[in-house]
């Protein structure tokens, strides 16, 4: 076996470390980050996957009023949520990824946080009518 100089050995180790690190970094996101304001009421929480089901008002420029599941990335924010909480939050959208953050609790009487969706109420009334 040949003798390898310390400088050459150091260069080889450094090259290996740098090369190995190249694949471990996530690529910079190519999609722009969009932000939308959400006002809604927590319906239920999935603690394992950190998902909040929220009945929300129309999110201007993004979606109509509905009940939808939103991931919550920040564990501390998720820990502060409870069913029936009235919140304002930011919906973050980047490509196919959607999550909420910047959550602020609002004071509201139970059931008064979000007005019933008129379209959903109309459909419900129509189903109760007899033909």
């Amino acid at each position: 076996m040949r003798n390898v100089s310390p400088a050459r050995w150091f260069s080889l180790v450094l090259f290996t470390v740098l090369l190995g690190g190249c694949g471990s970094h996530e690529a910079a996101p190519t999609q722009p980050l969009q932000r939308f304001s959400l006002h809604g009421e927590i319906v239920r929480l999935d603690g394992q996957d950190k998902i909040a089901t929220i009945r929300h008002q129309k999110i201007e420029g993004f979606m109509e009023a509905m009940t939808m599941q939103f991931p919550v990335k920040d564990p501390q924010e998720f820990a502060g949520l409870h069913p029936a909480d009235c919140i304002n939050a930011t919906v973050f959208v980047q490509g196919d990824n959607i999550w909420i953050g910047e959550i602020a609790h609002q004071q509201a009487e139970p059931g008064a946080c979000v007005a019933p969706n008129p379209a959903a109420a109309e459909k419900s009334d129509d189903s109760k009518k007899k033909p």
Side-chain angles (χ1 to χ4, degrees), residues 42-53:
I42 304 295
V43 176
R44 78 185 141 267
L45 297 166
D46 175 349
Q48 183 175 356
D49 294 325
K50 306 293 187 269
I51 294 176
T53 301

Side-chain angles (χ1 to χ4, degrees), residues 5-125:
S5 72
R8 188 172 187 143
W9 174 252
F10 177 76
S11 296
L12 180 61
V13 169
L14 181 62
F15 175 77
T16 303
V17 168
L18 290 174
L19 183 63
C22 288
S24 66
H25 298 289
E26 290 184 23
T30 56
Q31 300 289 329
L33 179 64
Q34 298 177 330
R35 301 164 60 102
F36 302 93
S37 295
L38 172 141
H39 176 78
E41 181 177 348
I42 304 295
V43 176
R44 78 185 141 267
L45 297 166
D46 175 349
Q48 183 175 356
D49 294 325
K50 306 293 187 269
I51 294 176
T53 301
I54 303 172
R55 184 169 56 94
H56 62 82
Q57 294 177 340
K58 179 178 182 177
I59 301 173
E60 290 297 328
F62 187 55
M63 70 174 56
E64 294 299 317
M66 65 178 67
T67 300
M68 183 173 161
Q69 295 180 335
F70 293 94
V72 180
K73 283 190 173 183
D74 185 325
Q76 288 182 323
E77 284 191 308
F78 185 84
L81 297 175
H82 304 92
D85 281 355
C86 185
I87 64 165
N88 285 338
T90 300
V91 178
F92 296 94
V93 180
Q94 190 165 38
D96 293 336
N97 296 315
I98 298 173
W99 69 95
I100 62 168
E102 300 175 353
I103 300 168
H105 290 78
Q106 305 298 303
Q107 293 297 322
E109 293 296 322
C113 178
V114 178
N117 182 348
E122 209 172 88
K123 287 179 185 175
S124 176
D125 288 345

